[in-house]
């Protein structure tokens, strides 16, 4: 969109909903232009302990779950990866790609995909609604404001220390267990703190989303990325681990240094903020401090409320890392804390009553409706591409593109192939099982280890996920009312760093093999 200034026209980026609507139309057009096709798919049937082969034409065949059958299919993966549950999704079978009758999406799918994508994302949406309700109740209790006033007094002069600690923990969460979508839960507790310390919305997203994603890009033992990709490539995830650990340390130092440079600049001159034009709306939404000294008194009840609120987050991390929690379980745990806080806030002296806490919960949940819808719309784009059956066509073209190249050229091209595929398939586990059985064996033809392809997948996909509207970016920006153009201005150096530094690591791996 164009807006007229005094002397010139200025290009203005549309908002998150408009961007996703445009991409939905583009996805529909792509299903008419890109040929449809599919690889045969292989899955393990737990019920009858057999392998199930689904041909591109839809015909399903059951074969014994033995290593011999896998070898016959050209799938170079240990059978125990299937029988143990390490690989629990369909994987593509090499050399089985077939062109199929075109599956173009109709005009009606522009809207139906939005609805179906929202339905598919309902577990995340419920989690976000419960989180929003919890935030609303805590804010109504006054505990946020009182706690922040106490915290800012104690941290005065050492504000960046909190950013350093948060970013470090997020990098660790990303590299160890792939905390990304779950990181949404940390904004309500940390954003008001960053505002109180004089920082802007960019710092908030950088310390949480950017740091967790850079950790995931250099995953060491993340089961949703490097482990499942290594399994699908037929190797152990420990192969290449020292390289990834080294890269993770360097990348963490780079991101923390970049955050230090930017936060120092904003602290010294708020007008230097990339999101300065939206600061008033952002502060109005997230700031919890006012000048009422009585309201700001940090009473025992407020301390208990704040302690209950904070306790929910380490519990969530523990559940995700050790108990296999997913969004329904996380939502249930946050709801339990919300109920306890509602009881404390409604009753006793200065309590706001039953209607007060219920209204606070509902208003808090309603404030995140836009974030939830963004996630659903992004899912809708993926549904169109999947139903159009064009992802495998792009994958087949990619595999032919890198055939017979020299090792260093092969791996750099592979990096950019995954950069593109990261837009089409933003799910790390989904892209791993889709592509690894096809692309990893190509490493054998150029005499390089398969773990290098796994590393290229991590770097390429996550360089794109810092930018791709089909991933988590748009939901994060919507939550903080941040324009995509402001985020792009901040994050593009990190994308360049990941591609250049990551490319250097990949070439070094090839040359040292």
């Amino acid at each position: 969109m164009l807006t007229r200034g005094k002397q010139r026209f200025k290009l203005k980026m549309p908002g998150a909903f408009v961007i996703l609507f445009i991409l939905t139309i583009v996805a529909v057009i792509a299903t008419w232009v890109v040929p449809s096709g599919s690889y045969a798919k292989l899955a393990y049937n737990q019920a009858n302990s057999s392998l199930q082969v689904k041909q591109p034409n839809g015909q399903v065949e059951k074969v014994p779950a033995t290593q011999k059958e896998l070898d016959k299919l050209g799938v170079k993966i240990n059978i125990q990866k299937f029988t143990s549950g390490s690989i629990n999704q369909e994987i593509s079978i090499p050399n089985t790609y077939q062109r199929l009758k075109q599956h173009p999406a109709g005009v009606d799918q522009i809207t139906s995909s939005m609805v179906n994508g929202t339905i598919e994302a309902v577990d995340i949406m419920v989690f976000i609604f419960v989180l929003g309700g919890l935030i609303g109740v805590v804010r109504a209790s006054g505990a946020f404001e009182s706690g922040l006033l106490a915290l800012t007094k104690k941290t005065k002069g050492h504000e960046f220390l909190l950013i350093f600690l948060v970013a470090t923990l997020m990098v660790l969460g990303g590299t160890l267990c792939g905390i990304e979508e779950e990181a949404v839960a940390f904004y309500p507790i940390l954003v008001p703190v960053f505002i109180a310390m004089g920082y802007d919305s960019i710092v908030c997203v950088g310390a949480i989303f950017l740091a967790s994603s850079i950790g995931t890009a250099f995953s060491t033992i993340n089961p949703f990325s490097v482990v499942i990709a290594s399994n699908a490539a037929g190797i152990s995830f420990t192969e290449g681990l020292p390289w990834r650990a080294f890269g993770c340390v360097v990348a963490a130092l780079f991101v923390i240094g970049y955050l230090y440079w930017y936060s120092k600049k904003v602290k010294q001159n708020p007008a230097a903020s990339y999101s300065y034009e939206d600061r008033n709306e952002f502060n109005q939404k997230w700031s919890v401090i006012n000048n009422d000294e009585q309201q700001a008194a940090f009473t025992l009840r407020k301390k208990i409320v704040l302690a209950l609120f904070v306790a929910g987050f380490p519990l969530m991390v523990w559940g995700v890392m050790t108990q296999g929690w997913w969004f329904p379980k996380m939502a249930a745990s946050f709801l339990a804390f919300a109920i306890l806080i509602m009881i404390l806030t409604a009753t006793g002296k200065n309590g706001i009553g039953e209607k007060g806490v219920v209204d606070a919960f509902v208003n808090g949940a309603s404030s995140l409706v836009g974030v939830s819808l963004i996630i659903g719309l992004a899912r809708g784009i993926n549904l169109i591409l999947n139903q159009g059956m064009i992802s495998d066509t792009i994958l087949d073209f990619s595999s032919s593109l890198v055939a017979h190249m020299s090792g260093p050229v092969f791996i750099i091209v592979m990096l950019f192939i995954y950069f593109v595929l990261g837009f089409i398939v933003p799910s790390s586990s989904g892209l791993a099982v889709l592509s690894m059985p096809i692309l990893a064996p190509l490493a054998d033809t150029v005499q390089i280890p398969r773990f290098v392809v796994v590393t290229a997948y991590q770097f390429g996909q996550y360089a794109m996920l810092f930018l791709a509207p089909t991933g988590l970016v748009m939901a994060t920006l919507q939550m903080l009312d941040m324009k995509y153009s402001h985020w792009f201005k901040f994050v593009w150096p990190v994308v360049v760093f990941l591609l250049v530094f990551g490319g250097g690591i990949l070439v070094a791996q090839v040359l040292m093999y």
Side-chain angles (χ1 to χ4, degrees):
M1 291 188 290
L2 296 173
T3 57
R4 185 167 186 118
K6 290 183 178 180
Q7 301 292 335
R8 59 188 176 86
F9 286 98
K10 182 181 178 182
L11 182 65
K12 182 180 179 182
M13 282 289 291
F17 284 97
V18 174
I19 290 174
L20 289 175
F21 179 71
I22 293 171
L23 287 176
T24 301
I25 296 174
V26 171
V28 169
I29 295 172
T31 62
W32 287 82
V33 176
V34 180
S36 294
S38 177
Y39 286 94
K41 306 294 183 182
L42 176 68
Y44 178 69
N45 191 320
Q46 193 79 38
N48 54 30
S49 301
S50 65
L51 293 172
Q52 183 173 286
V53 179
K54 183 179 179 181
Q55 298 296 338
N57 61 11
Q59 181 180 350
V60 178
E61 176 188 2
K62 293 181 181 178
V63 298
T66 64
Q67 192 65 52
K68 182 179 179 181
E69 290 294 334
L70 286 181
D71 292 341
K72 285 170 60 178
L73 292 170
V75 178
K76 306 300 182 183
I77 302 174
N78 192 305
I79 188 62
Q80 291 183 348
K81 299 291 186 182
F82 292 92
T83 57
S84 66
S86 296
I87 298 177
N88 54 17
Q89 302 180 51
E90 287 185 338
I91 69 165
S92 303
I93 301 177
N95 303 316
T96 59
Y97 174 81
Q98 291 182 20
R99 285 280 301 274
L100 299 173
K101 181 181 177 182
Q102 201 69 19
H103 286 69
V107 176
D108 62 303
Q109 286 186 259
I110 294 175
T111 52
S112 64
S113 68
M114 295 177 177
V115 174
N116 294 329
T118 303
I119 294 172
E120 190 176 281
V122 68
D123 55 345
I124 304 177
M125 294 175 70
V126 170
F127 169 74
I128 289 174
F129 288 147
V130 171
L131 177 64
L134 173 61
I135 298 163
V137 175
V138 175
R139 295 185 75 164
S141 73
F144 259 149
E145 179 181 355
S146 302
L148 281 179
L149 285 173
L151 179 63
T152 51
K153 290 178 182 177
K154 293 183 178 181
T155 58
K156 191 170 183 62
H158 305 282
E159 291 86 355
F160 185 76
L161 180 60
L162 180 64
I163 297 176
F164 172 82
L165 292 174
V166 169
T168 301
L169 289 174
M170 287 298 166
V171 169
L172 289 173
T175 192
L176 298 177
C177 62
I179 288 181
E180 289 179 287
E181 291 171 319
E182 298 88 346
V184 170
F186 292 95
Y187 291 109
I189 190 173
L190 292 172
V191 170
V193 177
F194 290 147
I195 292 176
M197 291 180 173
Y199 298 121
D200 65 355
S201 58
I202 298 284
V203 172
C204 300
V205 182
I208 299 173
F209 171 74
L210 179 62
S212 64
S213 295
I214 204 74
T216 309
F218 290 87
S219 291
T220 49
I221 60 172
N222 174 13
F224 307 107
S225 176
V226 67
V227 174
I228 195 169
S230 298
N231 288 339
I235 61 175
S236 169
F237 76 90
T238 57
E239 294 186 45
L241 179 58
W243 286 96
R244 299 194 301 271
F246 164 75
C248 187
V249 172
V250 175
L253 292 174
F254 172 82
V255 166
I256 291 172
Y258 187 46
L259 282 170
Y260 177 76
W261 167 80
Y262 179 82
S263 60
K264 184 178 180 180
K265 181 173 71 168
V266 170
K267 190 79 170 174
Q268 292 175 343
N269 178 20
S273 166
Y274 295 159
S275 57
Y276 184 71
E277 64 185 85
D278 300 321
R279 69 195 182 285
N280 292 331
E281 294 84 353
F282 175 72
N283 290 344
Q284 184 177 1
K285 178 177 180 179
W286 288 98
S287 181
V288 297
I289 294 180
N290 60 40
N291 296 318
D292 188 339
E293 293 184 7
Q294 183 178 358
Q295 178 69 17
F298 204 14
T299 63
L300 177 61
R301 177 163 62 177
K302 290 180 180 179
K303 291 178 181 179
I304 295 173
V305 167
L306 204 56
L308 287 171
F309 176 68
V310 172
F313 296 91
L315 178 64
M316 180 196 74
V317 174
W318 171 81
V320 170
M321 294 185 67
T322 65
Q323 305 300 308
W325 284 10
W326 198 234
F327 288 104
K329 190 68 176 178
M330 289 188 286
S333 68
F334 276 120
L335 183 58
F337 283 107
I339 292 171
L340 291 174
I341 293 172
M342 289 170 78
I343 294 172
L344 281 171
T345 305
T347 58
K349 185 180 179 181
N350 298 325
I352 63 176
E354 174 260 342
K355 186 179 187 303
V357 293
V358 171
D359 287 348
F361 187 92
V362 172
N363 292 335
S366 65
S367 69
L368 296 183
V369 168
V371 178
S372 301
L373 291 177
I374 287 292
I375 293 173
L377 295 182
R379 287 284 182 92
I381 296 171
N382 301 138
L383 286 178
I384 290 174
L385 296 176
N386 290 336
Q387 292 168 359
M389 304 184 75
I390 64 177
S391 299
D392 280 8
T393 299
I394 297 172
L395 181 60
D396 180 66
F397 171 77
S398 300
S399 64
S400 63
L401 192 66
V402 295
H404 310 300
M405 288 182 173
S406 65
V409 176
F410 167 89
I411 204 60
I412 293 299
V413 173
M414 192 71 76
L415 173 67
F416 284 95
I417 285 174
Y418 273 112
F419 183 71
V420 174
L421 291 176
F423 183 92
I424 301 168
V425 188
S427 165
S428 57
S429 59
L431 182 57
V433 298
L434 171 71
S435 65
M436 275 303 148
I438 305 302
L439 297 181
L442 296 177
D444 302 340
T445 65
V446 292
Q447 289 80 50
I448 65 173
R450 294 188 179 190
F451 77 80
V452 187
V453 176
V454 173
T455 310
Y457 139 82
Q458 291 180 243
F459 296 166
Q461 184 187 35
Y462 276 90
M464 172 56 75
L465 291 185
F466 289 134
L467 306 171
T470 50
L472 191 61
V473 169
M474 299 311 290
T476 300
L477 301 186
Q478 178 69 24
M479 189 170 190
L480 298 184
D481 291 326
M482 186 191 301
K483 291 183 175 64
Y484 184 84
S485 56
H486 297 160
W487 168 247
F488 181 83
K489 186 177 181 180
F490 174 75
V491 82
W492 74 262
V494 182
V495 176
V496 172
F497 164 80
L498 183 52
L499 291 174
V500 173
F501 177 63
I505 287 180
L506 293 171
V507 171
Q509 288 176 331
V510 170
L511 295 178
M512 293 183 66
Y513 175 67

